[in-house]
């Protein structure tokens, strides 16, 4: 039986950590897939609202959040184990409970469908605030430590760096759900 010393264990641990490349995430082209998906979600929400209610704030927010979450959940589901691997690197719960990384895209999908079905319930808004608020804490920790990974929010399909944009997405969902709570 081979015994691994603490110094060997530390060397392996240090090799596995990716430190942020200073130039990564500075160019708009680094975020182009994200820009396309966010813009596409906004346009789809506008089209849904125009077709049913006209452009009103509450239905638009439901349509936007539903479309956005639906697209992002599907990206994660294309390669569920790849998503889980990346997500567990920074999410506080997925790092400790592997199953959470596999369940998370389905939670996001359920939220997407509830928004698209226009289920106007405080439970949906509080669930969104809880899920994305908790996720934002993990993103802040990852950014503080300089972790350089592709954002699992896009699944393993598109390569967008984990950054303040990721944090903005999480906090944007929290803010929109909070607004829906008080509207």
């Amino acid at each position: 039986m081979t015994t691994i010393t603490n110094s060997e264990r530390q060397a392996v641990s240090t090799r596995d950590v990716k430190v942020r490349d200073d130039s990564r995430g500075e160019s708009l082209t680094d975020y182009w897939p994200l820009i396309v998906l966010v813009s596409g979600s906004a346009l789809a929400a506008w089209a849904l609202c125009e077709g049913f209610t006209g452009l009103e704030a509450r239905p638009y927010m439901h349509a936007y959040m539903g479309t956005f979450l639906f697209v992002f959940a599907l990206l994660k589901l294309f390669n569920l184990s790849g998503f889980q691997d990346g997500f567990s690197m920074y999410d506080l719960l997925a790092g400790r409970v592997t199953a959470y990384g596999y369940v998370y895209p389905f939670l996001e999908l359920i939220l997407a469908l509830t928004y698209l079905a226009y289920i106007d319930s405080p439970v949906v808004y509080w669930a969104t605030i809880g899920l994305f608020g908790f996720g934002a804490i993990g993103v802040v920790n990852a950014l503080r430590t300089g972790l350089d990974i592709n954002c699992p929010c896009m699944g393993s399909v598109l390569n967008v760096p984990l950054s303040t944009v990721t944090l903005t997405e999480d906090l944007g969902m929290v803010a929109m759900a909070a607004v829906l709570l008080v509207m």
Side-chain angles (χ1 to χ4, degrees):
M1 183 161 127
T2 305
T3 304
I4 298 174
T5 66
N6 283 337
S7 61
E8 291 170 327
R9 193 173 290 124
Q10 186 176 4
V12 169
S13 175
T14 304
R15 270 197 316 262
D16 292 340
V17 174
K18 295 177 75 177
V19 178
R20 180 166 296 282
D21 175 2
D22 289 337
S23 66
R24 185 175 150 133
E26 289 184 358
S27 170
L28 189 61
T29 58
D30 291 338
Y31 298 101
W32 187 246
L34 178 64
I35 292 166
V36 169
L37 290 173
V38 169
S39 301
S41 294
L43 287 172
W46 172 78
L48 285 168
C49 286
E50 277 301 314
F52 292 106
T53 64
L55 196 56
E56 298 172 15
R58 189 173 201 86
Y60 180 80
M61 290 173 76
H62 266 261
Y64 176 78
M65 292 174 78
T67 304
F68 180 91
L69 292 171
F70 187 78
V71 169
F72 279 71
L74 292 180
L75 288 171
K76 292 169 181 75
L77 291 171
F78 288 143
N79 180 354
L80 195 53
S81 64
F83 166 75
Q84 191 281 329
D85 286 344
F87 194 52
S88 68
M89 290 180 162
Y90 72 89
D91 186 82
L92 301 176
L93 186 55
R96 290 178 174 79
V97 181
T98 303
Y100 180 66
Y102 289 104
V103 170
Y104 183 89
F106 295 99
L107 297 174
E108 201 171 74
L109 183 60
I110 289 166
L111 284 175
L113 295 174
T114 60
Y115 281 108
L116 290 172
Y118 201 82
I119 296 174
D120 192 10
S121 168
V123 172
V124 174
Y125 308 140
W126 281 115
T128 303
I129 290 168
L131 191 69
F132 288 93
F134 184 74
I137 296 168
V139 174
V140 167
N141 285 341
L143 294 175
R144 280 191 11 223
T145 61
L147 182 67
D148 187 18
I149 61 170
N150 288 330
C151 181
C153 64
M154 308 283 280
S156 60
V157 177
L158 300 169
N159 297 324
V160 173
L162 183 74
S163 67
T164 54
V165 174
T166 310
L167 182 60
T168 303
E169 289 171 44
D170 283 348
L171 295 178
M173 287 290 130
V174 168
M176 289 176 69
V179 167
L180 286 167
L181 267 173
V182 298
M183 272 182 111

